[in-house]
């Protein structure tokens, strides 16, 4: 007994080109309508920093000198010779100087100051985004 196979007719796949063109045109119109051809405000060129600095580099500025002195039970912090009330005032002074440039910071102390206190001030400077911080101990 022989089984006969039924022949299937092969259907040809035809692309409906006019419908495809309509879809492409609708997508094109959608993107044209929703696109913004204005320059966003965040990309507007402003040379405020360049005019304020007048082409100066961080090397053109004096380094910030922070001196730690023993004031009895507390530490006395001096930033460029100015006595600071505490870390809050030192932070304000560092923030003001950081807006100008990332200058060098030198932390100095005498040998009576604990090393942890010196490193605490150095870390405080790093926390205010200064990258060139060093320390020295005076005899």
């Amino acid at each position: 007994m022989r089984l006969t196979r039924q022949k299937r007719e092969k259907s040809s796949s035809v692309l409906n080109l006019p419908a495809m063109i309509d879809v492409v045109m609708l997508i094109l119109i959608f993107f044209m309508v929703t696109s913004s051809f204005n320059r966003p405000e965040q990309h507007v060129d402003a040379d405020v920093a360049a005019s304020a600095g007048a082409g100066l580099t961080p090397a053109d500025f004096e380094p910030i000198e922070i001196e730690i002195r023993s004031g009895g039970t507390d530490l006395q912090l001096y930033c460029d010779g100015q006595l600071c009330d505490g870390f809050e005032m030192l932070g304000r002074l560092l923030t003001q100087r950081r807006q100008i440039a990332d200058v060098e910071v030198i932390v100095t102390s005498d040998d009576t100051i604990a090393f942890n206190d010196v490193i605490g001030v150095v870390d405080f400077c790093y926390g205010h985004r200064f990258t060139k911080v060093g320390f020295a101990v005076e005899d």
Side-chain angles (χ1 to χ4, degrees), residues 66-108:
I66 299 174
E67 186 178 352
I68 307 171
R69 294 183 190 165
S70 176
T73 58
D74 294 334
L75 295 177
Q76 292 179 341
L77 301 171
Y78 290 86
C79 181
D80 290 332
Q82 179 181 356
L83 178 63
C84 297
D85 292 338
F87 281 101
E88 184 177 326
M89 184 176 176
L90 178 63
R92 284 195 307 268
L93 292 174
L94 288 176
T95 302
Q96 289 172 356
R97 291 289 299 270
R98 181 65 176 97
Q99 290 175 351
I100 297 171
D102 182 17
V103 297
E104 297 175 357
V105 179
I106 301 171
V107 179
T108 59

Side-chain angles (χ1 to χ4, degrees), residues 3-132:
L3 296 174
T4 59
R5 290 186 179 175
Q6 295 178 356
K7 289 188 176 181
R8 286 190 237 163
E9 293 183 28
K10 292 184 178 179
S11 63
S12 62
S13 55
V14 177
L15 295 176
N16 192 356
L17 199 59
M20 194 177 297
I21 291 173
D22 288 343
V23 169
V24 169
M25 290 302 289
L26 284 173
I27 291 173
L28 179 67
I29 290 171
F30 171 77
F31 284 119
M32 287 175 60
V33 169
T34 58
S35 296
S36 173
F37 294 106
N38 296 335
R39 281 179 73 181
E41 291 180 9
Q42 62 192 17
H43 296 294
V44 175
D45 296 329
D47 293 332
V48 175
S51 63
L56 297 174
T57 62
D60 296 330
F61 295 100
E62 293 291 323
I64 301 171
E65 295 180 13
I66 299 174
E67 186 178 352
I68 307 171
R69 294 183 190 165
S70 176
T73 58
D74 294 334
L75 295 177
Q76 292 179 341
L77 301 171
Y78 290 86
C79 181
D80 290 332
Q82 179 181 356
L83 178 63
C84 297
D85 292 338
F87 281 101
E88 184 177 326
M89 184 176 176
L90 178 63
R92 284 195 307 268
L93 292 174
L94 288 176
T95 302
Q96 289 172 356
R97 291 289 299 270
R98 181 65 176 97
Q99 290 175 351
I100 297 171
D102 182 17
V103 297
E104 297 175 357
V105 179
I106 301 171
V107 179
T108 59
S109 69
D110 56 12
D111 57 354
T112 62
I113 305 297
F115 187 70
N116 290 339
D117 295 331
V118 175
I119 295 301
V121 174
V122 170
D123 286 341
F124 187 77
C125 294
Y126 278 122
H128 281 79
R129 300 182 321 145
F130 284 94
T131 58
K132 303 171 201 159

